[in-house]
Amino acid sequence: MPASLSSNRLILGLVSALALGSVSLPVLAQERPDLVVGVADLPPTLEPGKELSNVGTRVNYSIFDTLIRRDFLSAEGGGGSELVPGLATSWTRIDDLTLEIKLREGVKFHNGSPLTAEDVAFTFSPERLSGENALLPEGPAYFSVLSEVKVIDPTTLHFITKAPDPLLEQRLASWASWVVNKEDWLAKAEQDGGLPMFPVGTGPYMLEEYKADEKIVLSANDGYFGGVPNAATVTFREVPEPSTRVAGLVSGEFDIITNVSPDQIEQINSYDDIEARSVVLANSHVLVYSVTDPVMDDARIRQALNLAIDRDLLNEALWGGKAVVPNGHQYPEYGDMYTPDFVGVEYNPERARELLKEAGYNGELIKYTTQPNYYLNALPAAQVIVEMWKEVGVNVELNVVESLTGVDVGALQVRTWSNSTRYPDPVGGVWNTWGPHSGPQKTNKTWIGTEGVARFNELGAVLESTVDLATRQEAAWEMIDIWKADAPGTVLYQPLETYGVAKDVNWNPYTFYYMDLRPYNLSFEGK
């Protein structure tokens, strides 16, 4: 079992001194500290195109690499959007439909196999990721634009799209784009019955041990092209109870903890050797409504539920005013694709009561389902929202479940969810999360069969297949208007994500759930 970093801090000075001498790398590798991270939950697999979740990407970001990397440190606050080389050394637009990728030479997967263009082509292939019947069901949401990935030579590929795609480079730097080893993936897929649980990547850390619901241990990949990792091992230990994670940070059992609530920040900062580090996420906590449920099939009822939520009060009560209530399902980071004048969310309980009356709502029961630990503050938010809904005349019952595993999510009237902005554009936000390949439309079928969703899908197809700014703006702004009017759900707020961190761990959080432990973002020299 790897020792906590705190148990190794006394030898850091010795390690630094030795580094100035003639000590060989293998000896240094033995004396690097072990990092222990206390997390609320762990992913059930480490297949990077399947575990597109906050708990999954947190771990997978260190195991796998993308062709292009988004440099989150390029802007203050961990939200930079500059694109820099990853497994690709360069990328060039050959024409409106073709992006040429040049691969980095000498890169090896964790099993020792060299990275090849064939591995990349397989990663994005129709059978694995980009086709309508892909083994990874969420893949088409990100790469249905692909027509073909053509291998030109061992280090050159052409990504050919079905129409001009203004976001292809951003797609290759984002979710679902982590590159896997073809031979390993296929062998493990056959062994695991369809999808491999633990494919290999090229990242700075590789899987050493996996114990479901307990821990994931990663060991350093000293041959990493981005430099030798600064931790010998990284252990993600599952600790669902927030107070237990804080106690572990205080005692030195953990070096970093996740999902710190705002009311724990002052406590953590009161100690000399630990501190809270926070970012507002490029992610919104949302509610999902079933438009096909007989109680909720009138859009006016769903609109009423949205109007009855005082999001500013939720922000103050649960987040100390440090979360952000966005202007609908859109965000300023979209730049020219953002419309500041749109009224995205409103609090109007009187209008909510009027809409319920107009819809003929007669006190039918609505169940609000949430998990207590998956999303920070999800349960207290649900408890408050339930009372807000009761105030406008809704007969609502809170249904708390430990996990949605085995639950027919499509049958739930109201449930908690979150939407991450995969890339700084509406395609990476409302379209990815609510379009035809999304959970609400494809997997769970909670938003289907309305005139609004049909028009939304028409506009989304335009949005992702043209580079003309005016055309894209018109399509995107109508889409967010439809989403608000059809009300298949609602945005609550962008949460404050806070980590507790030992002060001698130099590490910066990002506006995504990625936990970047590469050498440029993790060191132990002290602050």
Side-chain angles (χ1 to χ4, degrees):
M1 179 181 300
S4 169
L5 168 64
S6 46
S7 68
N8 290 304
R9 287 172 191 155
L10 294 177
I11 68 169
L12 287 179
L14 176 60
V15 172
S16 298
L18 291 173
L20 298 176
S22 59
V23 181
S24 65
L25 179 61
V27 174
L28 285 175
Q30 293 172 8
E31 299 195 1
R32 279 175 294 176
D34 301 301
L35 187 76
V36 182
V37 184
V39 299
D41 198 6
L42 291 172
T45 82
L46 295 177
E47 208 303 326
K50 176 175 173 57
E51 278 307 314
L52 303 179
S53 65
N54 56 350
V55 299
T57 54
R58 176 185 293 136
V59 178
N60 280 333
Y61 198 72
S62 292
I63 301 175
F64 301 91
D65 288 302
T66 50
L67 293 168
I68 304 170
R69 186 175 62 80
R70 180 175 168 183
D71 183 3
F72 288 89
L73 296 174
S74 63
E76 186 177 353
S81 295
E82 180 182 344
L83 297 179
V84 297
L87 292 176
T89 56
S90 65
W91 50 95
T92 307
R93 291 273 181 165
I94 301 299
D95 54 47
D96 286 347
L97 301 180
T98 308
L99 179 71
E100 183 172 272
I101 293 287
K102 288 288 188 180
L103 289 182
R104 188 180 301 274
E105 295 188 40
V107 176
K108 291 187 177 181
F109 287 97
H110 297 155
N111 62 355
S113 298
L115 170 71
T116 70
E118 290 291 343
D119 294 309
V120 176
F122 170 75
T123 295
F124 297 93
S125 63
E127 61 269 28
R128 179 183 179 269
L129 188 72
S130 58
E132 284 296 322
N133 298 312
L135 289 169
L136 296 168
E138 290 195 60
Y142 302 95
F143 285 102
S144 62
V145 297
L146 274 183
S147 173
E148 181 183 6
V149 179
K150 183 181 293 185
V151 175
I152 304 302
D153 60 46
T155 60
T156 308
L157 300 104
H158 285 176
F159 280 72
I160 304 169
T161 57
K162 300 171 185 176
D165 177 16
L167 294 168
L168 183 55
E169 293 89 342
Q170 288 283 354
R171 293 181 195 273
L172 295 178
S174 187
W175 283 22
S177 298
W178 291 284
V179 174
V180 298
N181 177 251
K182 178 180 180 179
E183 184 177 358
D184 169 85
W185 197 97
L186 289 172
K188 289 177 179 174
E190 184 175 354
Q191 171 187 314
D192 296 341
L195 283 174
M197 290 187 65
F198 308 115
V200 296
T202 59
Y205 295 92
M206 50 191 169
L207 180 64
E208 179 176 308
E209 183 180 6
Y210 178 95
K211 287 190 176 181
D213 303 320
E214 183 180 335
K215 66 179 178 180
I216 295 173
V217 182
L218 310 180
S219 58
N221 172 19
D222 287 348
Y224 185 55
F225 69 85
V228 176
N230 288 320
T233 66
V234 178
T235 299
F236 296 91
R237 190 176 300 280
E238 183 171 323
V239 185
E241 177 56 46
S243 61
T244 306
R245 291 197 299 276
V246 173
L249 179 69
V250 172
S251 70
E253 179 184 2
F254 304 131
D255 308 300
I256 301 176
I257 61 171
T258 67
N259 300 83
V260 172
S261 65
D263 61 4
Q264 295 171 320
I265 292 175
E266 185 176 352
Q267 175 192 358
I268 290 173
N269 286 338
S270 69
Y271 292 89
D272 292 334
D273 59 345
I274 60 176
E275 65 183 2
R277 299 178 193 172
S278 303
V279 291
V280 174
L281 290 176
N283 168 280
S284 287
H285 287 186
V286 303
L287 298 181
V288 180
Y289 305 142
S290 175
V291 306
T292 60
D293 183 88
V295 179
M296 314 237 343
D297 60 0
D298 191 315
R300 291 171 294 186
I301 292 176
R302 304 190 298 271
Q303 292 168 7
L305 296 178
N306 293 346
L307 288 168
I309 300 173
D310 187 341
R311 295 164 183 80
D312 291 330
L313 178 60
L314 287 173
N315 184 12
E316 288 297 328
L318 302 179
W319 303 94
K322 295 180 179 179
V324 172
V325 177
N327 191 10
H329 209 311
Q330 57 154 4
Y331 307 93
E333 66 190 87
Y334 292 176
D336 289 339
M337 296 298 291
Y338 177 69
T339 172
D341 298 329
F342 180 72
V343 181
V345 294
E346 304 170 71
Y347 174 54
N348 191 336
E350 288 304 316
R351 180 56 181 155
R353 293 185 184 96
E354 292 172 1
L355 284 171
L356 290 171
K357 184 176 180 180
E358 291 173 13
Y361 176 73
N362 196 32
E364 294 86 354
L365 179 65
I366 294 176
K367 284 190 176 184
Y368 182 143
T369 300
T370 191
Q371 299 166 265
N373 295 315
Y374 192 85
Y375 299 114
L376 185 61
N377 277 335
L379 180 55
Q383 292 168 331
V384 175
I385 292 170
V386 161
E387 295 304 316
M388 292 175 177
W389 286 352
K390 288 179 179 178
E391 282 292 317
V392 299
V394 178
N395 178 19
V396 57
E397 176 182 300
L398 184 57
N399 176 38
V400 182
V401 297
E402 287 298 323
S403 171
L404 291 178
T405 301
V407 174
D408 181 4
V409 175
L412 301 178
Q413 292 172 296
V414 181
R415 68 177 177 94
T416 50
W417 194 33
S418 75
N419 290 170
S420 289
T421 303
R422 274 61 159 172
Y423 10 94
D425 186 273
V427 168
V430 70
W431 179 239
N432 269 156
T433 51
W434 292 87
H437 298 291
S438 68
Q441 285 200 48
K442 183 177 181 179
T443 309
N444 307 317
K445 302 186 185 303
T446 53
W447 189 30
I448 58 173
T450 71
E451 292 183 9
V453 73
R455 178 60 177 160
F456 180 91
N457 290 347
E458 291 176 6
L459 292 164
V462 173
L463 180 69
E464 68 174 357
S465 62
T466 181
V467 296
D468 181 71
L469 178 61
T471 302
R472 300 191 77 241
Q473 287 174 328
E474 184 178 346
W477 297 344
E478 186 179 345
M479 287 171 70
I480 62 170
D481 197 24
I482 289 171
W483 192 79
K484 178 184 176 182
D486 220 29
T490 190
V491 170
L492 297 177
Y493 39 67
Q494 292 175 255
L496 183 77
E497 182 74 3
T498 300
Y499 300 81
V501 188
K503 286 185 178 180
D504 52 5
V505 176
N506 291 325
W507 172 81
N508 296 293
Y510 293 165
T511 56
F512 267 52
Y513 286 111
Y514 302 152
M515 198 164 205
D516 194 350
L517 304 176
R518 286 164 176 78
Y520 56 76
N521 197 46
L522 176 68
S523 63
F524 307 106
E525 287 80 14
K527 299 196 71 164

